[in-house]
Amino acid sequence: MDWLMYLKTFLIGGALCAIAQILIDKTKLTPARILTSYVVAGVILGALGLYGPLADWAGAGATVPLTGFGNVLAEGVKKAVAKDGFLGVFTGGLTAAAAGICAAIFFGIIVALLCKPKAKK
């Protein structure tokens, strides 16, 4: 087992979560705005070529959070633009993230079928 990789994954993933928690606690930003900001930050860092090296170094600690999703969108657009030209701007992100989006929908449906919703009090 590579304990150093586990440590790097935990530190980077934990830091991203801690930053989000601090933003929730100390600002008036809603969780939805923070989540959206994380995706946009991932897109920007991915487009600039800065997120790839972090993801290579930290593994799942950088690829699993929403910043990793943003990076996948940016990388997909880059590849699609290189292959298809301007049309790739519209198709690349969804093509690259299709497996993750489908998995989220599929498992969301499974959980919705297996669990009984309760009203919040």
Side-chain angles (χ1 to χ4, degrees):
M1 279 199 249
D2 186 7
W3 291 102
L4 183 59
M5 183 53 132
Y6 289 141
L7 180 64
K8 291 187 287 188
T9 298
F10 175 77
L11 291 174
I12 296 301
L16 289 169
C17 292
I19 291 167
Q21 188 64 49
I22 291 167
L23 290 171
I24 289 170
D25 291 343
K26 301 293 182 186
T27 69
K28 293 185 180 190
L29 291 172
T30 63
R33 288 180 188 230
I34 294 168
L35 295 176
T36 304
S37 299
Y38 267 44
V39 173
V40 171
V43 168
I44 292 169
L45 292 173
L48 295 174
L50 301 174
Y51 203 82
L54 175 65
D56 292 340
W57 184 79
T63 58
V64 171
L66 285 172
T67 49
F69 178 69
N71 180 51
V72 166
L73 294 175
E75 292 300 319
V77 169
K78 276 191 217 177
K79 288 178 185 174
V81 167
K83 181 182 172 200
D84 301 328
F86 184 72
L87 184 60
V89 171
F90 302 106
T91 62
L94 288 176
T95 302
I101 293 168
C102 289
I105 292 169
F106 175 76
F107 290 113
I109 291 171
I110 297 297
V111 169
L113 292 173
L114 296 176
C115 300
K116 294 182 182 180
K118 296 179 184 175
K120 230 177 171 182
K121 294 180 181 183

